[in-house]
Amino acid sequence: MSPSPMDAIVMYPLPVIGHLKSTVELAKLILNNLPSLSIHIIVFKPPCDDGLNASFINKVSGTMPSIIFHYLPTISLPASFISSIRTPETLTFEVLLLNNPNLNQALGSISENCTIVAFIADFLCYAALSVTAKLNIPTYEFYTSGAACLSLMLYLPTIHKNTTKSLKDMDMDTLFDNIPGMPPVPAKDMPKLLQERDSKIYQYFLDASIQCPRSAGIIINTFESLEPRAVKTMTDGMAAPDSPLPSLPPLYCIGPLIALDNRGDNIGGGGEPECLAWLDMQPSQSVVFLCFGSLGRFSVEQLKEIAVGLERSRKRFLWVVKNPLSEEKPDTGLNLILPEGFLDRTKERGFVLESWAPQVEILNHDSVSGFVTHCGWNSVLEAVCAGVPMLAWPLYAEQRCNRILLVEEMNIALPMAESEDGFVSSAEVEKRIRELMNSEEGNSVRKQIMAMKNEAKKAVSEGGSSSVVLSKLVQSWKLN
Ligand code: UDP
């Protein structure tokens, strides 16, 4: 039985740009497999909205009418919440929880015109599970990072049970070496938001980890041959040792799911065609690209240090510099932030781009042969698909765990060493960039990432692991 034209999939992403983009890519993939479906994406406005989501959603709505966005009504948090010490992440969870009645209503109105065959909630939007359970809608979770990191999240209840101290109060070198499918992780490299066990945000993540096994299936943006050990751990039922459920739901590794063209996302504007034109003029495989995701910002002092390291490396570079951390010198021109004369001295071999860069096009440009990255999972997959080796400089979220995986498990990145407070010296920047671009270690990660690029292609081609798994999933919706 094939689904009627009115059958719908509803998706519920966390409203931050990295998660939203992956959700839209997943929507496109589902539509490619089953064009008769309609896809509805329910979004809510995060309390600290930077406007990135709205411009991205407008672009998608303008080009893909089969993806329909629904905005939940804006929730006004009590002033006491905003003025308290709650972080933007905590506030987002508060809004998420308060939104359940609105979500319920939105699902009600979508189902007036369609049958909702499946609901796909972001792993962090676990609060929705209680709404969809009451409505009897099969609910899947979408984990936008990799399988090993999911395994770490599913191990959080075990860590919580076995320790009484917050991670931040432990010896920072304490090793967690029992996380299924993951190399040992020192306490200092555990995600920052998990460091304080008495915080609300920790509790939210713990709840997300406990709820996840209750879903009908877990969709992950990875592919089997990138993370064979972690995927096997999950499918063998070794992850989530403290889950009260007898087994994990089915796992669907459907990646790599990346936007093939992010030119014109233009979030923050400016500089796009110029930087691609500049790349056209550079020799093949000569440029190192530095970009740190949607949120990666540095202090003025750190920016200066990067500039000195880049200049001394004598390599060609394309560097995306977002505004420095705002409490320092907001709206200061680059000329005043970077070392005196830097832009002038490097103009023959460097291009500095303020704000948003067309990262996918850049990584796939023939001139680019190295990527200094904050290790956000989308960036990692984009580098894999482009076959560009990485220099791993994690900044936030689960990125320090990703660095361990990229360097120790996958051998597709070299590490950037930092001091205890996270500062990276110009000497380190210079040394590592040279190493990445010309050295035996650099060649080794280059060779491995080229192999992974081929594996990624295989995974999504006909008969490949990701495409088989995706058709199985879509098929299961057809049969319902
Ligand atoms: N990105 C981009 N240009 C930029 C910064 C980011 O195109 O200047 C894109 C990047 O290609 C990736 C996404 O934004 O698709 C960032 O996601 P990721 O998971 O790497 O990091 P996050 O921003 O979520 O920390």
Side-chain angles (χ1 to χ4, degrees):
M1 191 179 70
S2 57
S4 78
M6 288 304 171
D7 280 349
I9 303 285
V10 180
M11 305 176 85
Y12 194 40
L14 192 73
V16 297
I17 192 70
H19 291 235
L20 197 55
K21 284 180 92 173
S22 310
T23 302
V24 166
E25 289 310 310
L26 179 58
K28 289 188 203 162
L29 198 64
I30 293 170
L31 280 174
N32 277 345
N33 268 258
L34 208 53
S36 57
L37 282 173
S38 62
I39 302 258
H40 297 256
I41 300 184
I42 299 181
V43 281
F44 64 91
K45 207 164 157 344
C48 307
D49 192 12
D50 51 13
L52 297 188
N53 296 343
S55 67
F56 176 67
I57 289 172
N58 285 344
K59 183 187 158 202
V60 177
S61 302
T63 49
M64 300 223 51
S66 39
I67 300 180
I68 304 151
F69 286 90
H70 302 256
Y71 279 96
L72 296 183
T74 304
I75 296 232
S76 314
L77 288 171
S80 60
F81 276 40
I82 310 276
S83 58
S84 72
I85 50 162
R86 288 173 167 90
T87 61
E89 292 88 357
T90 311
L91 290 172
T92 301
F93 277 98
E94 313 269 10
V95 171
L96 177 71
L97 290 167
L98 291 170
N99 253 322
N100 270 357
N102 292 330
L103 175 65
N104 188 47
Q105 209 163 32
L107 289 171
S109 63
I110 293 170
S111 57
E112 279 169 18
N113 300 313
C114 347
T115 307
I116 301 174
V117 292
F119 181 85
I120 303 175
D122 192 288
F123 170 82
L124 295 174
C125 294
Y126 65 93
L129 263 68
S130 61
V131 176
T132 52
K134 282 194 195 121
L135 298 171
N136 273 328
I137 303 172
T139 298
Y140 297 77
E141 286 206 353
F142 180 32
Y143 193 70
T144 53
S145 196
C149 272
L150 175 60
S151 178
L152 184 150
M153 290 311 303
L154 296 176
Y155 193 68
L156 185 59
T158 308
I159 297 177
H160 187 76
K161 190 185 81 179
N162 294 343
T163 54
T164 48
K165 264 190 187 174
S166 289
L167 293 169
K168 72 169 186 21
D169 298 327
M170 293 178 185
D171 175 347
M172 283 286 102
D173 293 325
T174 306
L175 268 191
F176 290 89
D177 52 6
N178 281 326
I179 304 171
M182 182 88 198
V185 184
K188 64 172 180 276
D189 284 339
M190 293 292 254
K192 204 165 169 209
L193 297 176
L194 304 183
Q195 294 282 339
E196 168 59 70
R197 71 186 269 139
D198 294 327
S199 67
K200 282 199 144 204
I201 197 76
Y202 175 95
Q203 189 57 50
Y204 291 138
F205 274 90
L206 185 62
D207 289 346
S209 309
I210 293 168
Q211 293 302 324
C212 177
R214 298 186 201 281
S215 61
I218 310 171
I219 303 169
I220 312 191
N221 189 5
T222 191
F223 56 102
E224 240 180 271
S225 45
L226 183 67
E227 300 187 87
R229 187 157 77 103
V231 172
K232 188 165 181 335
T233 302
M234 301 261 194
T235 47
D236 286 356
M238 308 294 282
D242 279 285
S243 166
L245 300 171
S247 62
L248 273 181
L251 195 69
Y252 301 95
C253 298
I254 47 79
L257 198 55
I258 59 167
L260 290 178
D261 179 4
N262 60 358
R263 195 193 286 230
D265 278 359
N266 196 17
I267 301 172
E272 290 188 11
E274 290 82 356
C275 79
L276 293 171
W278 180 82
L279 279 178
D280 288 344
M281 294 186 304
Q282 307 311 309
S284 175
Q285 299 294 294
S286 66
V287 176
V288 60
F289 172 51
L290 299 89
C291 186
F292 301 89
S294 51
L295 301 174
R297 282 175 172 68
F298 293 104
S299 63
V300 172
E301 200 192 354
Q302 181 66 82
L303 287 173
K304 282 194 185 350
E305 207 73 6
I306 298 174
V308 173
L310 272 176
E311 191 171 355
R312 291 198 184 136
S313 78
R314 309 212 62 75
K315 298 291 167 204
R316 291 172 197 270
F317 63 86
L318 170 51
W319 180 17
V320 184
V321 181
K322 307 265 198 288
N323 283 335
L325 292 169
S326 57
E327 63 272 21
E328 298 202 21
K329 290 186 189 166
D331 303 327
T332 312
L334 277 184
N335 251 324
L336 294 174
I337 291 170
L338 300 177
E340 207 183 328
F342 168 82
L343 290 173
D344 221 32
R345 287 194 302 278
T346 57
K347 67 174 187 280
E348 298 301 325
R349 59 185 181 83
F351 192 104
V352 180
L353 179 58
E354 290 182 75
S355 190
W356 199 253
Q359 180 165 297
V360 173
E361 284 72 20
I362 292 171
L363 286 170
N364 284 285
H365 197 285
D366 174 62
S367 306
V368 172
S369 93
F371 180 25
V372 184
T373 172
H374 71 315
C375 307
W377 191 246
N378 290 308
S379 295
V380 168
L381 292 180
E382 287 161 8
V384 166
C385 291
V388 178
M390 290 167 273
L391 203 45
W393 184 340
L395 298 176
Y396 50 93
E398 85 296 6
Q399 292 153 12
R400 303 181 76 86
C401 298
N402 287 344
R403 171 172 61 185
I404 295 177
L405 290 164
L406 300 179
V407 174
E408 294 175 24
E409 182 94 348
M410 301 174 187
N411 188 33
I412 55 177
L414 300 177
M416 189 77 100
E418 71 225 312
S419 65
E420 229 164 69
D421 62 358
F423 195 75
V424 175
S425 68
S426 57
E428 174 72 5
V429 173
E430 175 191 352
K431 177 180 130 193
R432 294 297 183 170
I433 285 180
R434 283 176 192 266
E435 201 173 55
L436 181 70
M437 303 295 272
N438 313 84
S439 78
E440 222 170 88
E441 291 82 357
N443 287 344
S444 158
V445 289
R446 187 173 310 280
K447 212 166 131 201
Q448 179 62 9
I449 207 160
M450 285 309 291
M452 275 305 130
K453 175 182 175 177
N454 287 334
E455 289 295 318
K457 245 194 227 155
K458 267 199 246 162
V460 292
S461 8
E462 211 184 324
S465 61
S466 297
S467 75
V468 166
V469 155
L470 183 77
S471 353
K472 228 187 202 161
L473 179 62
V474 171
Q475 195 66 28
S476 73
W477 295 333
K478 273 192 198 181
L479 298 174
N480 280 334

